[in-house]
Every structure is written in structure tokens, then in C-alpha cells.
Amino acid sequence: MAVSGETRERALATSVVVCAYTTARWHTIRAALASAAGQTPAPLEVLLVVDHNPDLAHRARAELSGIRVLDNEGARGLSGARNTGIDHSVGDVIAFLDDDAAALPGWLAHLLAPYADPDVVAVGGAARPQWAAGSGRPAWLPATGVLDWVVGCTYTGLPTTLAEVRNVMGCTMSFRRTVLDTIGGFSTRVGRVGALPLGCEETELCIRARRRLPRARILFEPRATVTHQVSVDRLTWSYLRRRSWSEGVSKAAVSRLAGTGPALADERRYVARVLPAAVGHELVQAARGRPANAGKAIIAIATALLATAGGYLRESARRRTGPAPAAAEAAGTAPATAVTELDIRRGPAALPVPANPGIVYRDAQVLVRDGRWTVDLLRLPVTGRRVNPGDLRLAAPPARPEPSSWTPKVSVVVPTADRADTVRRCVKSLLATDYPDLEVLLVDNRPHAAEAAALVELASGDPRTRYLAEAEPGVSRARNTGLAEASGPLVAFVDDDIEVDRWWLVNLVAELADEAVDCATSLVLPTSLDTPAQRKFEQLKGFGRGVRRQVFGPDLSGGGSQNPFTPGQFGPGGCALWRRSTLAGLGGFDPLLGPGTPTRAGEDLELFLRLARAGGSIVYTPHAVAWHEHAAEWAELRDRLHAYSIGLSAMFVRHLLQRPGDAGAVAAVVPSRARRILLARSSPREGGSARPGARLLLEQLTGLAWGPAALARSAWRAPSRWSRCP
């Protein structure tokens, strides 16, 4: 069928979407936007989507003209930001350009030309490296380009002319809008979050498109070229290992969503043909008199291959016990609960929810904010892919602390062990807080592990961050090490699997402006409630204590109506701010308790109890918001609940051996705790059977029974600490 000129012109109307997350890339963001706007033909619109960074969004709106600036309305990360761009764009073709890439002349024209074929659903381009000023291609990176994917560029093995491929490359790609409307957007279960070098969200989307649309064609057009900035931090061996490992993790995630065959078809050809040819080339170069560079290149190829395989195998093993999203839906465990935020200052606009394959959202947990202040936490129904908060009925806003200009130095202690990628997100969120005098102490509790170099590199990336090593295992030891090195009068402790909100620290400090307050705890919400295990964790052990601000007085009874031994009533100790003088008086955390010891937990509540006996006070504030990644699989959830129960029991025994007079108070909370465990063994609302609940019940009961023995093992390993009650 012939296509009229008018119809063809309308079909080529294009929206270009650039996603950004940090002001550190401001100059490359501007260059990317300018290169997109200057294309011929000109795009219909250029959109900048800012991923949960209000400072960057404010600067962009103030300094950029002719650009639509949007806030990411979905899950944190590149996939959520891209989906926001899709939802707000108006073009019939949507092109994506990375915030550190610049499109060369003709980029958009070459991307659009193949869409004359109605079966073409996506067209991607090529990326060539733009090395950082003063640097060039490192000696270990093969000159053939076989590993250029490590730095986000086109690599050897891709077609050299227009050809059909499995998937496009994320930094320069385009999709037909009608296809995205049909199959949904990018999955937030894969893909990059901030600087974390994960990916493959475009791979999963392209595989999904082929499955849903058998005639779909996905093309690679190497003439649609961009230059991709390669920063100095990507030119190191440690980045090669991390990036390759993360690629393996991403491939495992895609395999779960799309199947192993489609997810790894191109990778098998790459490993079987391209890599051996590259090694052969380097051996020839060595024979011609360049053995040093050839040796480094061969080592780099082997490192990338082994690290990628290791990441894939580890992630596959970790996830093997849980169903893939599509299988979960077929088994009746979906629909799920979306997680999102609403700032009432921006008006009650409809909120989009993530577009995750195989997951149907029946409702959404909506955190309602008024700027930096929390207003309410609601469950609202989801219609299609949106939450409509137009008829909100909000509770009375929680009390707020008195205004204060007090901003003392705060030391934030983050203990970690073998979780470099997780702690990277945590540290990034801490450094993004609006607090003027901050230091972050990153305490490596397994300093001889292979990931120690990555932590050292992370700490060296910002002058506010310091790396500390604590070889003796145990989170209490790590926290005490951080406390000893802290220079601020206020000290916060944050677990490495938590990300904090922009206003988290300033709102905690506002509570401690009252000299009578010894500690302030936070509202910690789940980052995701997609899986049944995550929803069950939130039901059983969620860290959020509601939106009512609570002040626990000298007896820590919250006005006398609650027992201070009730677990969790004060808020999570793994995301709390303390007065340093109070911690010094208490002696810090008990090294016999907590993760890394046989007791596995309990150190936070035990410290709160000692504060109670010292006549201290705690404020739980819902205005200090943080986010926790709940256990996504049943096996992980069972292990966590087992650990919490061991720690709870061990903590009670530890406390009673030193203060037997509290036996009555401890006994008073046991019946209610047991009743809660028994009633939560199954939940029809979550679509689960009694079997997962029964196993969770068993794990908790056996954990409670094992607690005293675990405490004895902990004391046996370090007998000198038994009598040294902090």
C-alpha cells in the first residue's frame, strides 16, 4: 500500500527522551539535549526525565529552554525514568539518548528511515567511545573493540551495515509508540539504578516485543552514531570486574523474564566465535613484538568472561527457588501492590505505576508528602497503569518538630560485608541528602574479601566519605568502629540495604534539636511490593511504624500504654540518628548480638532497652523517610525471619541475665508476639496458600528456640565480651 507524504511525515514525528540522575553530569546532559534538538529532521520534542533528584530537576527547569523537564513518576532507576518519558511523550516514534552521549549529525534521520517498513518496531544505533580528557583507550582494553561493551559502546561482533538484531543498545535506540502501547514499557526488575552498572532492560523489552508480535523486526543501523563519554572511573580493572559481574547478574534477570534461550542466544555466538578470534588477534600482535599490551588484553578478555559467568551463576542460584513474574501471575500470586509517592504541592495528578511484565497491580501504596513533610500513607486502587488520587481523603498531618537552624556535623556509619553494589546505592542516597555538614563512614566488615577494592574506590569518590576496615565479624563491632572514628556530635547508623530520602537527615536532626531527645528513628518503606514474599515481609516485619509522630519518654513507654520490650515499636535501629554523648554513656552496641554473629540480630532493640533503663528518650518521626529492599523470594524471607527470631530470643536472654527484674515485662509481650506469628501463617489476600505461611511459622518458632544456644555460641567465641556489657 502506498504511503502518502502527509502520512509518512506524521509517522516520523519523534520524541527524544534523555534520562538523568545526577548534577555531576550537567555538562554532558546539556550536550546530549543540544545534540538531539539540533538533528535534521528536528524532533517533535525533547524531554529530560530526572530520576528522583529535585536539585537536578530545579536546575534543569531554571537553565534549559525548549526542553520538557519531567520528574520520574515510577520506580527509581533508568527503567522507571524511561517509562515516565514514554507516558508523557507525544511522538509516534520515541528515541532514547543517554545523558552522557551526544548524537552526531544524521543520527535521527538514520534511526527513522527503517520505519518505512511497518514491521520494524525498533531501530538502534552505534556508539563510539569519547575518552575522558587526558586519557585514551587503556592498554588492557583490546584495540579490536571486542570489550567496548564494558564502557557502553559498540563492540566487535555487531553488524557493520543495516541488519536485523535481537536487541538494540540502550544509549542510542528508538521504538514505535504503538508497540510500546501494546507490550508495555521497560521492566523495572532489570536495568540501571543510578551509577550501578546493571542493564539489559532494552534486551528484555526487545525479546518481549518479538514474542508478542511475531512479525516484529528490530534493526541495528550503525550510521545512527553517537559518541559516548567514558569517564576515568571506567578505565580501571576494578570497573571491568564490576561491570562484567553486573552484566552477568542482568543476563540472569532477563533469563528469568524471557527464558534462557532468547536471553543468551547472541552471547553464545559472542563467546564461541568473537572472543576466540579476539584472543587469536592478540596472540598475533604479541608475536609481532607487542607482548605487554597483548597480554593485558587477553587477561582482560578472560576477566570479563569469568566475571560475567560468575555474576550469571550467582544470580541464577540465588533466584532459583522463586517463580518468575509470569509464572507468579499464572500461579495466582499476582496481582501485586505498586509503590509510589505523591507531593500535594504539585497537585493531584494521576500517578503512573511501573510497567512490569507478568505483574498486574491491583492497588498502590502511596506516600503522600507536602514537600519535605510526610502527610499520609495510603492504599489506593490502580486502574490500568495509573493511580487516580483525585478523591484523596487525607488524615490530619502528623506533628512536625519546631523549626530550627541547628545543623551540627553528622557522621553516618554504614557497615557492610560483601555487598559492594548494594552499599553503593545506599551511599549515593546519603550523599544526595540536603545536609550541609556530613561525613559517611563506610565500615568494611570483611576487609579481606575481593570486594574490598570496590569499597575503597567508592569511598575515594567523594571527600565526605571514608573507608574503615573492621576485620572482626559482626555488625555491632562494625558500628562501634565507626562510632569511634566519627567526628560529629550526632551519629547515624544506616544498614547497607537502605536508601534514604533527600530530607531524611535534616528531618532527623530537627528532632534532636531538642536536647531532651537521645535518638530519632525513621519511617522505612519498601522499595517494591511486587512479589508475594515482599508483601508478606511487609505484613510480618515491615519497618514502617505509621505516619503518627511518637515521642517515647524516659520510660520509653510512649505515654505509658506500651511495653518497652515490644519488638520494633521505636522504629528501625538500622536507620536511626543518635546523640554521640548518649552512645558513649551506653557503651555502644553489644558485640554478642547482631548480624555476623551466631545471634544474627537483636542488637538494635537491646540498645533501645539500655537507653530505657538509663532514662533516655526516642522520637519516631514519619518525616524522615527511607526505603528498604525487602526479600523478593520465599527462601530469602524464611532466612530473614529465622534470623530475626534468633536475635529476638537471644536479646531477651542477654537482657534478663543481667536484669532479672525485667522478667515480668518480657513475659507480658510473649503472648501477643506468638499470636501475631500464628495469625500470619497464611494470607488469602496475598493469593498464597497455607504452605508458605506454615514454613514461615516454623522458621520463626525454631529461631526463637535457637536464640539462647546462639547467644552461648557467641559468648564462647568471645568470652571476654560476656561480662563486658556495653
Side-chain angles (χ1 to χ4, degrees):
M1 180 181 68
V3 180
S4 68
E6 180 181 354
T7 303
R8 180 181 174 85
E9 183 65 27
R10 183 177 61 80
L12 295 179
T14 309
S15 300
V16 179
V17 176
V18 176
C19 302
Y21 71 95
T22 175
T23 54
R25 291 187 176 181
W26 180 246
H27 67 289
T28 63
I29 294 170
R30 297 197 65 156
L33 295 169
S35 71
Q39 292 294 306
T40 302
L44 186 64
E45 60 179 350
V46 178
L47 300 87
L48 174 65
V49 185
V50 178
D51 186 17
H52 297 279
N53 187 330
D55 288 340
L56 176 57
H58 176 76
R59 182 174 184 180
R61 290 187 175 100
E63 299 185 24
L64 300 176
S65 60
I67 305 294
R68 290 180 62 194
V69 180
L70 305 170
D71 293 298
N72 180 5
E73 298 169 338
R76 187 187 302 270
L78 186 55
S79 292
R82 284 173 173 166
N83 289 338
T84 297
I86 293 170
D87 289 339
H88 288 270
S89 61
V90 297
D92 293 297
V93 172
I94 304 173
F96 295 91
L97 181 67
D98 272 6
D99 64 347
D100 56 356
L104 297 183
W107 169 74
L108 189 56
H110 287 303
L111 283 182
L112 294 178
Y115 286 106
D117 179 350
D119 289 336
V120 172
V121 300
V123 182
R128 66 190 190 200
Q130 180 71 44
W131 308 108
S135 65
R137 178 181 290 272
W140 56 263
L141 189 62
T144 57
V146 70
L147 290 185
D148 278 12
W149 59 267
V150 172
V151 294
C153 295
T154 306
Y155 56 93
T156 303
L158 290 177
T160 56
T161 59
L162 180 66
E164 195 162 346
V165 291
R166 180 192 63 184
N167 62 274
V168 293
M169 187 164 55
C171 69
T172 165
M173 61 183 178
S174 64
F175 293 88
R176 199 185 292 272
R177 168 177 287 284
T178 54
V179 173
L180 297 174
D181 291 340
T182 300
I183 69 171
F186 294 89
S187 171
T188 56
R189 296 179 68 82
V190 289
R192 181 179 291 267
V193 178
L196 186 66
L198 296 173
C200 292
E201 66 279 0
E202 65 277 356
T203 303
E204 187 278 332
L205 180 60
C206 290
I207 293 173
R208 187 167 15 115
R210 286 185 180 278
R211 284 185 167 179
R212 294 283 298 276
L213 306 167
R215 295 181 57 185
R217 300 184 66 210
I218 298 169
L219 301 180
F220 174 68
E221 172 52 272
R223 293 178 296 175
T225 307
V226 304
T227 59
H228 202 183
Q229 292 286 330
V230 182
S231 54
V232 175
D233 64 298
R234 297 187 181 187
L235 304 180
T236 63
W237 285 96
S238 61
Y239 182 82
L240 169 66
R241 292 190 297 270
R242 294 200 316 275
R243 176 67 182 87
S244 301
W245 180 274
S246 298
E247 182 71 9
V249 171
S250 300
K251 294 298 183 188
V254 172
S255 295
R256 283 172 47 80
L257 294 171
T260 303
L264 300 180
D266 286 359
E267 285 71 20
R268 292 190 182 97
R269 182 184 62 83
Y270 176 78
V271 171
R273 299 180 184 178
V274 178
L275 288 187
V279 172
H281 173 83
E282 297 300 336
L283 291 174
V284 170
Q285 293 297 104
R288 292 177 177 176
R290 299 180 59 191
N293 286 351
K296 292 178 181 178
I298 292 173
I299 293 173
I301 292 171
T303 299
L305 179 60
L306 292 174
T308 303
Y312 180 87
L313 293 173
R314 178 173 175 180
E315 181 69 6
S316 297
R318 189 175 74 86
R319 299 273 185 174
R320 67 180 181 271
T321 57
E329 183 179 16
T333 54
T337 297
V339 177
T340 188
E341 292 184 55
L342 170 67
D343 191 335
I344 59 177
R345 294 186 181 185
R346 298 176 183 172
L351 301 173
V353 298
N356 287 334
I359 297 180
V360 179
Y361 292 108
R362 65 160 173 248
D363 60 7
Q365 177 179 276
V366 182
L367 177 65
V368 184
R369 308 291 293 271
D370 179 10
R372 64 182 271 194
W373 308 109
T374 294
V375 176
D376 209 343
L377 185 64
L378 303 173
R379 284 287 183 97
L380 296 176
V382 170
T383 303
R385 285 181 53 199
R386 290 185 175 272
V387 180
N388 186 0
D391 55 350
L392 283 178
R393 297 293 183 269
L394 300 176
R400 302 173 181 178
E402 293 295 326
S404 173
S405 59
W406 187 56
T407 55
K409 184 172 186 177
V410 176
S411 302
V412 183
V413 178
V414 183
T416 188
D418 285 352
R419 298 207 293 188
D421 287 339
T422 301
V423 77
R424 191 179 304 276
R425 296 195 296 270
C426 174
V427 171
K428 173 180 175 291
S429 70
L430 289 167
L431 297 177
T433 57
D434 283 353
Y435 197 78
D437 196 356
L438 170 71
E439 72 170 351
V440 177
L441 303 174
L442 186 57
V443 186
D444 186 357
N445 202 208
R446 203 166 293 167
H448 303 298
E451 292 191 346
L455 297 180
V456 172
E457 183 180 4
L458 173 61
S460 65
D462 191 289
R464 295 171 291 175
T465 305
R466 280 198 286 152
Y467 171 87
L468 303 174
E470 173 51 65
E472 191 167 352
V475 72
S476 292
R477 290 284 299 180
R479 287 175 176 170
N480 290 339
T481 296
L483 175 62
E485 293 291 327
S487 58
L490 302 182
V491 182
F493 299 95
V494 178
D495 288 348
D496 63 0
D497 57 356
I498 285 177
E499 295 178 63
V500 302
D501 179 78
R502 171 189 176 187
W503 297 286
W504 170 78
L505 189 51
V506 70
N507 285 342
L508 282 179
V509 171
E511 299 290 359
L512 268 72
D514 181 351
E515 294 184 357
V517 176
D518 296 288
C519 175
T521 61
S522 312
L523 169 62
V524 178
L525 298 173
T527 59
S528 171
L529 292 173
D530 286 351
T531 71
Q534 289 173 327
R535 299 192 291 277
K536 180 63 75 172
F537 183 93
E538 183 67 9
Q539 176 194 6
L540 296 177
K541 192 67 174 76
F543 300 122
R545 311 313 304 168
V547 295
R548 183 172 67 90
R549 180 175 176 267
Q550 299 180 64
V551 179
F552 299 90
D555 61 352
L556 295 191
S557 63
S561 61
Q562 297 183 13
N563 189 322
F565 290 89
T566 301
Q569 67 168 315
F570 308 122
C575 191
L577 179 67
W578 287 79
R579 204 176 296 278
R580 184 189 173 114
S581 57
T582 298
L583 288 168
L586 295 173
F589 291 86
D590 189 335
L592 293 181
L593 300 172
T597 72
T599 61
R600 302 189 65 184
E603 78 290 350
D604 299 325
L605 181 55
E606 193 276 336
L607 188 61
F608 287 143
L609 292 179
R610 273 190 279 129
L611 180 60
R613 293 300 173 258
S617 62
I618 298 174
V619 173
Y620 164 73
T621 174
H623 304 299
V625 179
W627 306 89
H628 178 260
E629 185 66 37
H630 288 357
E633 312 294 345
W634 286 115
E636 186 180 2
L637 174 60
R638 290 194 296 269
D639 182 69
R640 287 195 185 186
L641 292 180
H642 184 70
Y644 291 149
S645 297
I646 292 174
L648 181 65
S649 177
M651 183 277 302
F652 281 151
V653 172
R654 172 74 159 146
H655 185 84
L656 291 178
L657 286 173
Q658 297 175 339
R659 298 179 178 86
D662 287 338
V666 172
V669 304
V670 172
S672 61
R673 181 68 178 176
R675 181 174 180 271
R676 182 180 179 188
I677 292 174
L678 290 170
L679 290 178
R681 66 184 295 246
S682 64
S683 177
R685 183 173 181 269
E686 300 299 341
S689 66
R691 183 176 180 184
R695 293 196 63 181
L696 294 179
L697 170 63
L698 180 62
E699 293 292 349
Q700 293 178 85
L701 293 178
T702 56
L704 291 173
W706 179 246
L711 179 64
R713 286 184 61 200
S714 189
W716 179 79
R717 290 183 179 183
S720 63
R721 297 190 210 142
W722 177 260
S723 59
R724 195 197 325 158
C725 179

